[in-house]
Structures are given as structure tokens and as C-alpha cells.
Amino acid sequence: MTLILTALIILVFSYFGLPHILGNYFWFESFGYSWVYVRTLMYQCLSTLTPIAICFLAFLINQWVINRIEEKSTSNHTPPITHPLLQKLKLFISLFFGNFPIAFQSISNAITRLLYLGLSVLIGQAFGRYWVPIAASFFTNAFSITDPIFKKDVSFYVFQLPVLNTALAFLTVILLCLILVSLWQYAKRRCLPLTFSPTFRHVRGHLFTLAAVFFMIQAVRSFLSKYQILFNHNDIIFGAGFTDATVYLPIIGFMPILWLAMAALALAFIARPKLKPLLIGTMAIIAFQFVGLTMMPRVIQQLVVSPNEFKKETQYIQHNIEFTQRAYGLKGMTEVAINYKKEPSSFNTTDFHTTLQNVRLWNPEPLKSTLKQLQEIRLYYEFKSVDVDRYLINNTPQQVMLSVRELDVNQMSSKAQTWINKRLMFTHGYGLCMVPVNQFNSEGLPELMIRDIPPVSHSDIHIQQPEVYFGEATNHYVIANTKQKEFDYPKDNENRYTHYTGSGGIQLNSFFKRLLYAIRLNDFKLLISQNIHSKSRLMMDRNVHVIPKKITPFITYDTDPYIVVSSNGRLIWMVDGYTLSEKFPYSTPYSSRINYIRNSVVATIDAYSGKTMFYMKDPNDPIIKAYAAMYPDLFLPVDNMPSDLAAHLRYPKELFKVVTKVYNTYHMTDPQVFYNKEDVWTFPTETYDSEMGITMDPYYMYIQYPVSKTFEYAIMLPLTPSNKNNLVAILMASCEPESFGKLTVVKLPKQETVYGPLQIESRIDQNTEISKDLTLWGQVGSRVIRGNMMVIPYQESILYIEPIYLQATQSKLPELKRVIVAFGDQVIMAPSIIEGIASLTNDTPQTFPQLTVTDSPSKENELTKKITDAFFKVKETLRQADWVSFGRAFERLDGLINQLKKEE
């Protein structure tokens, strides 16, 4: 019987488990990380099978003890079977399995073992979910930071304590299950009355030995529970306060003694079965927990601590500030106080010119809408997101915005969504658009450095491998390099085709693999299609959000991958990864599961081949060190990253938001100021296409760094006091290799008002000339969109810049029409930043650099520009219903397109 059940389990596992395990193995192998998958399976199996084996063995031993005790008991009596159905069952068993008592006992034992195995699997699977911390606990790295209460290294709390608590919880569950199973078995077999028998102590010995072991485990758990005070949520701080350290901690030290006393009483009960001592012990523990661990700390807190709270809690507030700053990387931050001036003393410096060249006027959403109208080319292309990055273009630092043209088969007509089209033909996106952050033409449209299909570049950055097989929108699986030609890109009225020549995807070089993935993907055509051959490659789970997370599930990845054009013209995705913990002592949580964070990893993914690499961005992080020891050679030093990719490393926006939110409170290092919450800061609010306003997002900028006085790329965010709108500071983090991640805060004087973003927005609304123009534009069939405000520190003053877009109500083509520039009390709206600054400073625009595209367009590009201009003329006349002008404009557009065809 046992053999039949085992065969059945293996059969079920083979059908449901094999396609999953082997399917994943070949997927990992296609990225060159099959050994990572094998090692992950090993960690998962050890973390799951070990508790299953322990649990199952404990059940079997417990059952053996029960059976032996039953054999010795005098109450072992099986009533005769009288029911007709049971008589027939007895006859059936005797007929097929021989002697009834023996067969019945064998079947009963098999069913019992199967139930024990099922329960053990459930418990083991629950424990196995913690395989990452369990494995990491064997590769512990010291933080070299000791907590102030117990003087233990932080690594004990991050790596070891959670695993110890989980293991003890696991043992507690096993003991409870053993006790319940034993009680049920003895009750069923009428052996429970023997518990109090003065002559028969076997049942009593068994049950109360289990109870004694249970109490011992609780003693260990109560001993470890004292460390939990470092993670208490108090009214003032996170972590141990005065009452925790001076009252609760000494009291909790008696709990292990009480639990051990209960274990001793349980063992004594075996010899002398008297319930009174056990009841007294149980009541003592309940009373001690209620009075000693609950009521007494509350009374001390109310009567002793609260009347003189700050004095009692001062040192614990200092602990909270110190450890929170360490946990979020705020320690060692540079503070720069400036002597604020409403207007810079000089404008014609090289740094100021380069800063102006890189002020971001194009916001991601308006730019994405514009690119969709101008550059998606076909309905099945999609610009999923817009990334901000910087390049050295013609030896000049230039901030740009990039958006990848990805393929979305769901946008095709339903009739075109055939299996051939979705799986074999439409397999990849194509190219990208690159836009300087502040360049626009006379129509208010972006000047594209890289545009069109195939990609045309107006700079020294060129794309050599434009196909995008791995991206943010690649959510469906495809088979590349088949007998069916793959659609590459549209050309006039025809399409160009290609065959995939890369190494990405799973090579379907055997019938077994095709069968495996036909089952895995529930796609029978994958098995029978005549288009698939031995060199075809199945690309599944190819989204760049999925790939790094699937290979390294213990790393939390950023939600915003960004694209980089490498020096050899390949498109490379970069994804930042974080190591997190919720067990950093005294550190205030950012969320329910985060009170420690580091940007320790960056993954790179080739958009064509899918080649994925992992680099240690912060090699000093003890958590990533543990993961690197778990997976040797998986994480490479960041120094091994190709220099053309390393130049695009950046401080992630999501991490900057976390750090900024924590810093808004924990910049207060004086315990008295912190206790009173006198100087809490917050994220500012801006208008941005909303009457209610929105919270400002961090933004990247080239600026003159306030510490080094050098020109650096950084991420920054202005900050305002809580419940006020004036500017109090600007927090920034460097993205330059020499000072990467260095946090700097520019503090503004508190004795005078420095306008915050919302106050500048109010001054814009109060400016009669600006308000009149914005109101007028919004009433003639157009919609005014006020873009993100840029708050830029320069020398000892602040420059505010906000773009204004105009969008027709019937169109989704925003045009950048004006730029609002402000210094101090002065606000002006001008056609460009240059003219705005010139007006504010009474200077002439000629003294400022002109913002132009780096390369002059070729004859073909001039013709393309004429076609673009003609297209917008057609659009404008159509919007105005001027049919005579529309006909002339359309004839001109048609002639230009025919001219372009002839030149090709």
C-alpha cells in the first residue's frame, strides 16, 4: 500500500513539478545562470526537506511510543464489527488483502503515515519560505556596529535572531501537533484514564514529557524575546526607551526561569500525578505576564517617565537618531549653509552656461504623449516610459531623455493577432528616441537627437543594434529564428524582415524541450509547428522587470529600469537593486518591512541578447556580502563594469525618496529639538497640471556642486518645513564616480523667507500678464499644462524654472510654448530660459549660450524637417477648418513625400 501511494506521489510530481523545474532550469541556462538555479534549489530543498524530515520523524517516533504504550495498557479492546456496511468492507479487505486484522492494521498504519507526511509537508513548506534568511545566516558578515543595550553586533539581529525565532516557532508547532495527536490517539483508544493511574505511568510519562519539552522551548523563546525591545514602537521613538531598558528588561529575565519551573513540574507530575502544582505554575505565569510584563511597565511609564519624559528618554532618543541615520546611509552627510541672495552675482560662467544647457524643460508625460504622436510610426509600437540620463556628446555634458520603441501586439487588430503573428513574426521592438532635455523647435516640439526607423542620429551617439527583444513591454513569449521571417521595421509601404542571430532565449534543439514548454505554456502549437527548427529560440519571461528578480529573488529591484546606449551602439537596460532588512536595531521603519536599505546591486540586460550581469554597487553592505558568499561569482565588483556603462550609474530616485522622507525628521540631531519635533521638513507641492497640486518628485540635474565647486550630475529635491511653503533646504546626492552617493544638503537661512515651489506657483498666478496669457490660451480650444518646476541652486541664489505646454483639446500632442523663470521676487514668462534670464537681469540674450542641436542636419534631414513642418501645417489648418489652406498644405506635404521617395 505504501508503495502504491509513493508511486502516485511521484507520478503527480512528475506531471506538475517536472515542467516547472526543468522549464526554469533551461530558462536560467539561457542566461548563463543554471548553476544559480541549482544552488537556489539546493537552499530551498534543504530549508524545506530538513523540517519535513524532522517533523515526519518526530511523528513516527511519537506514534511508535503510542503503539508500545497501547500494547502495555489493559484497556486495549477492539469492539466487534456489527454494521452491515462495515461487514462488507471487512469482507472486501479480507478478500483482497488477506487476514483482516493484519490487513486492517497495515492499511491503518499506511493512512496514518500518509497523514503525518501531509502535515509534515505543510509545516516544512511554511518553514521553507524563509530559505533566504536561513541560508544567509550561515554567511553572516559583521556590521561592526554594536547596539547600546545588549552590546551585540547588528548582524546578530539582521541575520541570526530572525532564524532562531523561526526555528523555535517551528519546534513549538511540532510539539503542539505531537501533543494533540497523542491526546487524540489516547482518547480514541480509551487510554486517557490511565493518565492518573498510580500503577500505570506510561501514558502520563509520554504526554508530560512532551509538555516539559514544550515548556523548555518556551523558556528559550522568552529568553530571546528580550531582544525585541530594540524594535518596540514607542510614542516618541522606535526602539527601547527608558521603561523598556530599566523596567521591562529585568522583569523579562525571570520568564525563562518560570518556564523551566513549569517543565520541572511537568516531569514531577509523571512520578506524582497531582494537578495542583501545575495549575499553580500556570496561574503564576499568567499573573506574572499580566502584572510584571504589562501593568508594571505601564504604571512606571505613566507615574515616573511621563512627568519628566525628555530627561528620562534623552539617551534613547540619541540611540534612535544615531541608528536610523546609519540604517539609511545618512551618517556623514555634508551640510552647506549659504548666505542667500535673491540674484546671482554673475551669470556668464561656464558652469552656469552648462547648467542652463541641461535644465529639463520636457517632462516625461508630455514628452511621451508627443513621441507617441510623432515617432510610434505604427499602431503596434509603444513608448512605455521616458528615462532621464546624461551623455558626453561632442565632448559636452548633455542631459537627455530617452524612450524605447517597444512592440505591443495587443494594440494590433484582433484579426491580426494570430498565433503566427504573436509568436513568430512580431517578436521585437525597434530603436529609441533621444531628446535633449530643453531643446525645442519653433513649433514647440522636441528636437530629436535620435529618431525614426531605422534610427537616424544627429549626434555622435549611434545605434548599431536597434532590435529590442528584452524590454519593459515584452510580456508575451515568442519564438525567434524560425522558418517564418520576423518583422523588423516598416519601410514606406513595405516591411523589412530579419532572423534573430543572438544567443538569447531557450534553444529548442530537442523534441523533449518542445514538449516540455508546450506543457508549461499550455501551447500545443509549440510542439507541432513546422516553422520551428533546432536553432529556434523560445523567449519567455523576458521583461526586464522579471529577469533580475527571477534570477536573484532575494534582491528587491527598482520599478524604473532605464536604457543606456553603449559605446558600441547596443541598447543596455540598467536596473538598480536594493538589500533590505526590518531588523536593524533602533532604526525607525520607512514601511512595515523596511528599516534598513542599501542600493547594493545594479543589473545590466542587453536588449538584443538578453545577457544579464550583476554588479555590486555597494560592496561594503554586509547583506550583499552574505548573498555574494551564498552565490560565489554571481555579483561582480562594480569596477568590472564596462566604463561606458559605469558612466551612467545613478543614485536611484526611489531610494532618494526613501532617504529624503527619513531625513525630513532625522536631520534633527539635537535630542531636545527632535523631542519637540520643532523642525520637521516635508516634500514640497507644485501645481503641475492640477488645481490641487501634487507632491514634487526628485529630479536629475547638472549643477555646480556646493561642496566641491565642480560641475556634477546629481539628483535633488527642495524641502519645505512641515505645514509651511517656504524653502528651507535642498537635498542632493551625487551621481559622479568619484563621489557617488555622497549626500549633501544645502541649508537656507531661517531668518528670511526663501520662496518654495508652491509660493512661486502663487506668484505666477498673481502675475497679471502671465495669468492673462494662460487663461486666454486655455479658452481657444487648447489646454494649458504647467510642467514640473525645477528649483536649481546656483552660487548663493535659487533659480526657478517651469515649462508651459499647450495641447489642443482634440489632440494629445503637447507643444512646449513658454518657460517661466524666477529669481527671488521676480517672475517672468519668456519663449526660452535664455530670454527669461536676460529679461530678469536686464542683460542681452547674446551673452548667453544658444541652445541648439549639436550637429547640423544633412540634406535628407532638412527634407525630413520640411515634411514635419508641412505635416503640422496640415494639422493646424485642419483644426481651424480652413479647407482652402488645408488643400494647399496637403499638396505641399504630398510633394515633399514624393521628393523623399525619389531621393531614396
Side-chain angles (χ1 to χ4, degrees):
M1 188 68 180
T2 305
L3 188 61
I4 295 174
L5 290 173
T6 304
L8 182 62
I9 291 171
I10 293 174
L11 183 63
V12 172
F13 174 79
S14 298
Y15 181 78
F16 291 102
L18 199 61
H20 176 77
I21 293 174
L22 281 182
N24 280 343
Y25 176 84
F26 291 129
W27 184 90
F28 274 79
E29 186 181 50
S30 70
F31 288 94
Y33 292 114
S34 57
W35 65 274
V36 172
Y37 183 59
V38 171
R39 189 169 286 246
T40 297
L41 281 180
M42 180 188 72
Y43 291 136
Q44 290 175 334
C45 288
L46 287 175
S47 300
T48 303
L49 294 179
T50 300
I52 289 176
I54 293 173
C55 192
F56 188 56
L57 183 61
F59 279 128
L60 292 182
I61 293 174
N62 188 65
Q63 186 63 44
W64 181 85
V65 172
I66 292 172
N67 292 339
R68 298 290 77 77
I69 291 174
E70 182 192 15
E71 291 174 1
K72 295 181 180 181
S73 72
T74 57
S75 299
N76 183 21
H77 174 69
T78 304
I81 298 175
T82 58
H83 195 280
L85 288 177
L86 296 178
Q87 287 283 1
K88 292 180 180 180
L89 178 62
K90 177 181 178 181
L91 181 63
F92 175 81
I93 293 174
S94 300
L95 183 64
F96 286 95
F97 297 98
N99 183 269
F100 174 75
I102 297 175
F104 182 80
Q105 187 63 40
S106 176
I107 293 173
S108 177
N109 291 340
I111 293 174
T112 300
R113 292 191 188 99
L114 185 61
L115 291 174
Y116 286 160
L117 179 60
L119 186 56
S120 300
V121 168
L122 290 176
I123 295 173
Q125 284 183 332
F127 188 75
R129 292 173 185 170
Y130 299 94
W131 69 271
V132 173
I134 292 171
S137 66
F138 290 94
F139 301 95
T140 301
N141 286 272
F143 279 74
S144 299
I145 305 171
T146 56
D147 78 273
I149 305 297
F150 301 104
K151 308 302 180 183
K152 285 186 173 292
D153 191 88
V154 170
S155 60
F156 170 74
Y157 303 99
V158 172
F159 292 109
Q160 296 164 341
L161 185 60
V163 176
L164 289 174
N165 286 331
T166 303
L168 289 172
F170 163 71
L171 293 175
T172 299
V173 170
I174 291 180
L175 260 297
L176 287 174
C177 290
L178 291 177
I179 291 172
L180 291 174
V181 166
S182 300
L183 286 171
W184 168 253
Q185 293 267 25
Y186 287 133
K188 183 181 69 171
R189 302 180 187 192
R190 302 177 183 178
C191 293
L192 277 183
L194 297 176
T195 303
F196 294 92
S197 171
T199 58
F200 192 86
R201 63 177 64 183
H202 297 88
V203 174
R204 187 167 65 249
H206 178 212
L207 290 175
F208 282 87
T209 298
L210 292 177
V213 175
F214 176 82
F215 294 143
M216 292 176 187
I217 292 173
Q218 302 319 301
V220 179
R221 293 186 73 180
S222 64
F223 174 79
L224 293 178
S225 68
K226 66 182 181 181
Y227 298 114
Q228 189 59 38
I229 66 171
L230 298 178
F231 308 98
N232 282 353
H233 286 266
N234 297 316
D235 293 336
I236 305 172
I237 60 169
F238 179 88
F242 176 85
T243 303
D244 296 319
T246 60
V247 179
Y248 182 88
L249 186 57
I251 295 174
I252 192 67
F254 289 99
M255 280 302 298
I257 299 173
L258 293 178
W259 282 114
L260 290 175
M262 282 295 296
L265 290 174
L267 294 175
F269 184 86
I270 298 172
R272 300 183 64 185
K274 294 184 178 181
L275 283 176
K276 188 175 180 179
L278 284 174
L279 292 175
I280 293 173
T282 303
M283 294 301 295
I285 286 181
I286 294 173
F288 188 83
Q289 287 182 327
F290 178 73
V291 176
L293 299 181
T294 304
M295 295 305 299
M296 188 177 292
R298 289 181 181 178
V299 170
I300 297 295
Q301 181 70 29
Q302 291 298 321
L303 299 182
V304 178
V305 178
S306 294
N308 196 18
E309 193 171 49
F310 173 70
K311 185 176 180 180
K312 296 289 186 183
E313 301 284 9
T314 298
Q315 64 171 315
Y316 304 103
I317 293 174
Q318 290 174 330
H319 297 332
N320 178 233
I321 295 172
E322 169 77 15
F323 279 76
T324 301
Q325 288 185 341
R326 287 181 179 273
Y328 293 95
L330 298 174
K331 204 69 177 171
M333 174 184 288
T334 303
E335 295 184 357
V336 178
I338 63 172
N339 184 20
Y340 174 69
K341 298 177 182 178
K342 291 187 177 181
E343 186 175 304
S345 55
S346 63
F347 296 95
N348 289 311
T349 65
T350 303
D351 288 339
F352 188 60
H353 291 175
T354 312
T355 297
L356 293 183
Q357 291 276 7
N358 288 280
V359 174
R360 179 169 62 82
L361 296 181
W362 283 107
N363 293 160
E365 286 305 316
L367 178 61
K368 185 165 74 169
S369 296
T370 301
L371 292 179
K372 281 178 176 291
Q373 297 294 318
L374 300 180
Q375 285 289 305
E376 280 191 348
I377 313 296
R378 293 290 190 270
L379 58 87
Y380 39 75
Y381 284 130
E382 177 187 16
F383 289 105
K384 183 74 174 177
S385 63
V386 176
D387 301 318
V388 179
D389 204 348
R390 79 282 197 188
Y391 288 81
L392 197 64
I393 299 175
N394 296 334
N395 295 319
T396 302
Q398 176 67 62
Q399 187 174 207
V400 298
M401 304 177 79
L402 307 95
S403 190
V404 179
R405 189 182 292 104
E406 298 201 55
L407 186 72
D408 184 3
V409 293
N410 294 323
Q411 296 189 33
M412 299 169 62
S413 65
S414 56
K415 292 183 179 179
Q417 292 188 36
T418 63
W419 189 85
I420 292 290
N421 282 346
K422 291 182 66 174
R423 306 302 181 194
L424 307 184
M425 182 178 293
F426 291 90
T427 57
H428 59 276
Y430 201 90
L432 55 73
C433 290
M434 179 184 287
V435 181
V437 292
N438 63 352
Q439 295 181 16
F440 52 97
N441 60 23
S442 58
E443 297 288 336
L445 299 173
E447 291 280 11
L448 301 178
M449 280 185 171
I450 300 178
R451 59 180 299 162
D452 299 338
I453 299 177
V456 176
S457 177
H458 301 320
S459 69
D460 53 1
I461 298 175
H462 299 278
I463 299 177
Q464 305 298 330
Q465 191 76 66
E467 292 87 357
V468 180
Y469 284 86
F470 299 83
E472 291 187 86
T474 49
N475 297 315
H476 69 296
Y477 67 88
V478 298
I479 303 98
N481 191 25
T482 62
K483 295 178 182 178
Q484 170 65 51
K485 293 184 294 184
E486 298 171 49
F487 168 77
D488 202 22
Y489 60 88
K491 184 70 173 178
D492 298 331
N493 294 324
E494 299 178 351
N495 291 331
R496 298 296 174 91
Y497 296 90
T498 187
H499 283 285
Y500 182 70
T501 59
S503 58
I506 303 158
Q507 188 172 352
L508 300 175
N509 52 3
S510 68
F511 176 79
F512 174 75
K513 283 187 180 180
R514 293 178 65 174
L515 175 63
L516 181 73
Y517 287 105
I519 297 173
R520 170 77 180 267
L521 301 172
N522 195 26
D523 188 349
F524 188 64
K525 293 179 181 178
L526 190 63
L527 183 64
I528 63 173
S529 174
Q530 299 297 315
N531 288 303
I532 301 174
H533 52 74
S534 61
K535 293 184 179 180
S536 298
R537 292 185 171 271
L538 170 66
M539 296 182 180
M540 55 178 281
D541 293 341
R542 57 194 180 115
N543 191 301
V544 293
H545 292 274
V546 174
I547 294 169
K549 186 176 181 179
K550 190 171 179 178
I551 297 174
T552 56
F554 40 85
I555 302 293
T556 300
Y557 284 95
D558 199 280
T559 58
D560 183 26
Y562 59 100
I563 198 72
V564 172
V565 182
S566 67
S567 59
N568 59 356
R570 300 185 73 89
L571 303 182
I572 308 294
W573 293 100
M574 299 184 76
V575 192
D576 284 296
Y578 309 104
T579 50
L580 311 173
S581 177
E582 57 181 325
K583 292 300 181 182
F584 199 95
Y586 267 116
S587 173
T588 299
Y590 170 77
S591 66
S592 59
R593 300 189 63 83
I594 301 174
N595 75 345
Y596 171 91
I597 186 170
R598 289 292 185 274
N599 176 210
S600 301
V601 176
V602 61
T604 62
I605 306 165
D606 191 296
Y608 184 75
S609 69
K611 181 181 179 181
T612 303
M613 304 294 292
F614 299 91
Y615 298 93
M616 278 197 292
K617 208 171 179 182
D618 183 1
N620 297 319
D621 172 35
I623 297 180
I624 197 60
K625 285 182 179 179
Y627 294 156
M630 287 169 59
Y631 295 90
D633 302 324
L634 173 59
F635 300 100
L636 302 177
V638 74
D639 294 339
N640 289 18
M641 178 181 283
S643 58
D644 58 330
L645 298 183
H648 297 276
L649 290 174
R650 66 186 191 184
Y651 196 98
K653 183 181 291 187
E654 286 189 7
L655 176 61
F656 193 77
K657 286 182 180 179
V658 173
V659 170
T660 304
K661 183 177 179 181
V662 175
Y663 183 70
N664 282 339
T665 300
Y666 284 88
H667 70 276
M668 297 180 289
T669 56
D670 182 271
Q672 181 72 65
V673 176
F674 184 92
Y675 176 77
N676 295 329
K677 297 296 186 289
E678 298 175 17
D679 193 23
V680 177
W681 298 347
T682 188
F683 288 65
T685 303
E686 62 175 340
T687 300
Y688 188 71
D689 195 28
S690 170
E691 293 182 1
M692 301 300 295
I694 64 169
T695 301
M696 280 189 73
D697 258 358
Y699 49 90
Y700 294 94
M701 272 290 300
Y702 268 120
I703 61 166
Q704 185 183 34
Y705 220 63
V707 179
S708 62
K709 303 300 181 183
T710 57
F711 192 67
E712 296 186 15
Y713 193 65
I715 185 172
M716 64 178 65
L717 183 69
L719 302 172
T720 60
S722 182
N723 299 320
K724 293 185 178 180
N725 294 319
N726 60 290
L727 196 63
V728 68
I730 300 176
L731 182 64
M732 56 187 69
S734 175
C735 298
E736 296 295 328
E738 299 78 12
S739 56
F740 188 87
K742 181 68 175 177
L743 293 169
T744 302
V745 60
V746 176
K747 289 190 172 182
L748 298 163
K750 297 181 180 180
Q751 61 272 18
E752 64 176 302
T753 300
V754 181
Y755 290 130
L758 198 60
Q759 291 173 320
I760 294 294
E761 300 279 20
S762 297
R763 293 190 63 82
I764 293 171
D765 293 333
Q766 294 165 8
N767 186 295
T768 55
E769 291 298 321
I770 298 176
S771 181
K772 180 183 66 176
D773 289 342
L774 296 183
T775 303
L776 179 62
W777 291 343
Q779 293 178 348
V780 291
S782 297
R783 173 169 165 254
V784 175
I785 302 175
R786 289 167 67 164
N788 294 131
M789 178 173 288
M790 301 284 108
V791 181
I792 306 165
Y794 174 66
Q795 294 181 351
E796 293 184 324
S797 64
I798 306 294
L799 170 67
Y800 307 85
I801 295 176
E802 179 175 284
I804 302 295
Y805 309 94
L806 199 61
Q807 177 179 297
T809 53
Q810 302 299 321
S811 169
K812 291 187 178 181
L813 188 67
E815 299 172 356
L816 182 57
K817 289 299 185 184
R818 292 292 186 271
V819 179
I820 294 175
V821 182
F823 270 126
D825 297 325
Q826 304 179 78
V827 178
I828 194 168
M829 185 167 68
S832 68
I833 299 177
I834 302 301
E835 294 173 76
I837 292 177
S839 299
L840 289 178
T841 59
N842 297 319
D843 212 330
T844 58
Q846 287 74 21
T847 62
F848 296 104
Q850 297 302 309
L851 307 181
T852 57
V853 182
T854 51
D855 285 355
S856 58
S858 62
K859 181 179 179 181
E860 180 183 354
N861 294 333
E862 289 177 356
L863 182 56
T864 304
K865 189 175 186 306
K866 289 180 181 179
I867 292 175
T868 303
D869 293 340
F871 168 76
F872 286 109
K873 186 65 176 176
V874 169
K875 172 178 167 294
E876 185 67 27
T877 56
L878 183 62
R879 184 171 60 186
Q880 296 175 357
D882 184 352
W883 304 115
V884 175
S885 300
F886 172 78
R888 293 172 182 169
F890 188 83
E891 288 179 3
R892 173 170 170 73
L893 176 62
D894 186 58
L896 290 170
I897 291 175
N898 290 331
Q899 182 181 345
L900 179 62
K901 289 181 179 180
K902 291 178 182 179
E903 292 184 3
E904 290 181 348

